[in-house]
């Protein structure tokens, strides 16, 4: 791996992690009071597990972003994939804001549904140019 590729790899992961840190701001300010008071099913994971899972998810998203760039950013389908990926990152922030920032379970659900639509579109589009990106 060349230095240029390593830098691109690190930037892709850092960009995704930045989204996670923005979401973490809304998460940590809401967990002790609002989120802790919500009625949740017995199978709900503890908050500390979510933070660790989100870290892994954002690292995997960064790897996916890097692999997308490596697939050729001049290709039409890759450009669309990058736009969808950017939309996915933005929707992640909006979801954190709606659910944890505004304390709105309804808006959180609506953003989560929209996020899943974008994720599924991204998977189907990524499958055209890179199976590893689609799987991540």
């Amino acid at each position: 791996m060349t230095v240029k590729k390593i830098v691109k790899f690190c930037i892709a992961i850092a960009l995704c992690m930045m989204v996670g840190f923005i979401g973490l701001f809304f998460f940590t300010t809401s967990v002790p009071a609002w989120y802790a008071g919500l009625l949740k099913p017995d199978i709900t994971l503890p908050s500390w597990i979510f933070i660790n899972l989100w870290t892994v998810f954002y690292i995997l998203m960064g790897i996916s972003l890097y692999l997308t760039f490596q697939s050729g950013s001049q290709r039409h389908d890759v450009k669309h994939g990058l736009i969808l990926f950017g939309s996915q990152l933005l929707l992640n922030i909006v979801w954190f804001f709606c659910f944890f920032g505004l304390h709105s379970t309804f808006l959180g659900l609506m953003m989560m549904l929209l996020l899943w639509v974008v994720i599924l579109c991204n998977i189907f589009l990524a499958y055209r140019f890179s199976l590893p990106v689609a799987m991540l």
Side-chain angles (χ1 to χ4, degrees), residues 38-125:
L38 289 177
L39 293 176
K40 296 179 281 299
D42 293 336
I43 61 170
T44 302
L45 298 173
S47 298
W48 65 270
I49 291 178
F50 278 115
I51 293 170
N52 293 317
L53 286 177
W54 282 335
T55 301
V56 171
F57 290 151
Y58 285 114
I59 289 170
L60 291 174
M61 288 169 62
I63 293 169
S64 177
L65 179 59
Y66 170 76
L67 292 174
T68 301
F69 277 125
Q70 292 302 108
S71 297
S73 59
Q74 300 306 314
R75 291 178 51 178
H76 189 67
D77 52 354
V78 174
K79 285 182 183 179
H80 283 225
L82 290 171
I83 290 169
L84 277 174
F85 194 88
S87 301
Q88 182 180 327
L89 289 178
L90 181 63
L91 283 172
N92 268 283
I93 293 171
V94 172
W95 176 79
F96 272 109
F97 174 71
C98 289
F99 188 73
F100 290 109
L102 297 177
H103 301 163
S104 174
T105 53
F106 176 75
L107 285 177
L109 176 62
M110 294 300 106
M111 289 300 107
M112 186 57 67
L113 292 174
L114 183 57
L115 182 60
W116 271 107
V117 168
V118 172
I119 289 170
L120 290 174
C121 288
N122 208 359
I123 290 169
F124 289 121
L125 182 62

